[in-house]
Amino acid sequence: MNLEPVTIGIILINVLPSLKGFEDDSFINKYLFNISAINNGQHYRMFTSGFLHADFMHLLFNMMTLYFFADSVIYQFGPQYFLLIYIASLLFGNLLSYYFHRNEPHYSALGASGAVSGIVYASILLFPNNDLYIMFIPFRIKAYIVGIGYLAFSIYGMKKSLGNIGHDAHFGGAVAGFVITLILRPSILQEETLIVGLMAIPIVVLFILTKLGKI
């Protein structure tokens, strides 16, 4: 697997600010996602927070995930649409996070997970029958099943406020990747109708739970 120039560029614009942030708390605090600051007009945080990370392991996990899934999306759509999916997923992930935490002024978050989730979900939709290995699971799982499980776990994490993880940003990013991929490649709806429907189930479930006030 070769690193495409666009992937190298994205990795660099994640690594360099993150490394600075590891040594400079004021830098992190100026650019991370924070409800109070965003409500006070600092909307740039919706974007800049996606290029900062809490620690080296957080950064490494996101960049390794991006590395494994980026090429499949780039080869199908080209670097321009790959960037579109990445940035749209970053922003929509943070928008969904804002929606769920808008009344929590002290809520803060950072990381590329929403953007990376969009790339992962785009790749899964493009190649739903690929076999994937998941950490700690000793056998391969079909990609579309991994995608469904990922969103289902994100809903559970949102409902239970599980861990110090932005499950809502993950979910929003994945939805953006899902929708944009279908727009760019509508033939998937005809070729993989059942799988597309199954992958959409968690999105519908989240919508219903939100309407019912369960999340």
Side-chain angles (χ1 to χ4, degrees):
M1 182 181 294
N2 297 318
L3 274 175
E4 293 291 314
V6 66
T7 309
I8 295 172
I10 288 177
I11 289 174
L12 284 175
I13 61 174
N14 275 278
V15 169
L16 296 178
S18 295
L19 290 178
K20 178 173 175 56
F22 296 162
E23 305 295 330
D24 186 350
D25 287 342
S26 64
F27 180 78
I28 288 284
N29 290 332
K30 183 177 180 180
Y31 293 109
L32 57 66
F33 179 97
N34 175 264
I35 295 294
S36 180
I38 292 169
N39 285 339
N40 285 327
Q42 297 178 26
H43 301 126
Y44 63 85
R45 292 173 180 262
M46 300 282 281
F47 181 74
T48 58
S49 60
F51 300 96
L52 300 170
H53 291 80
D55 52 43
F56 181 74
M57 289 306 297
H58 185 205
L59 173 64
L60 179 64
F61 182 80
N62 275 335
M63 295 304 99
M64 287 297 294
T65 305
L66 178 66
Y67 168 76
F68 284 118
F69 287 92
D71 279 2
S72 60
V73 180
I74 294 169
Y75 293 160
Q76 291 294 310
F77 291 140
Q80 297 89 345
Y81 286 123
F82 171 82
L83 274 176
L84 171 65
I85 294 171
Y86 187 91
I87 293 171
S89 298
L90 187 163
L91 293 174
F92 191 73
N94 278 342
L95 282 170
L96 192 66
S97 186
Y98 179 85
Y99 174 80
F100 282 111
H101 299 283
R102 63 192 181 279
N103 296 320
E104 304 170 34
H106 299 296
Y107 181 85
S108 297
L110 73 172
S113 300
V116 173
S117 293
I119 297 300
V120 170
Y121 225 70
S123 177
I124 287 174
L125 191 55
L126 288 166
F127 302 100
N129 289 301
N130 277 2
D131 293 322
L132 299 179
Y133 280 113
I134 305 300
M135 193 179 300
F136 307 123
I137 298 178
F139 51 85
R140 296 179 179 183
I141 303 175
K142 291 296 182 185
Y144 76 91
I145 295 175
V146 173
I148 295 167
Y150 179 76
L151 288 193
F153 178 75
S154 295
I155 293 174
Y156 177 79
M158 293 163 65
K159 189 173 177 60
K160 298 294 184 179
S161 299
L162 192 65
N164 189 27
I165 300 172
H167 296 286
D168 31 36
H170 295 182
F171 195 100
V175 170
F178 178 78
V179 171
I180 294 172
T181 299
L182 287 178
I183 292 171
L184 295 175
R185 188 67 58 80
S187 60
I188 295 174
L189 278 169
Q190 292 180 324
E191 296 165 0
E192 302 287 358
T193 306
L194 176 60
I195 287 175
V196 171
L198 291 173
M199 291 177 68
I201 288 174
I203 302 172
V204 175
V205 169
L206 180 65
F207 178 79
I208 292 172
L209 290 176
T210 302
K211 284 294 185 181
L212 294 175
K214 300 295 185 181
I215 292 184

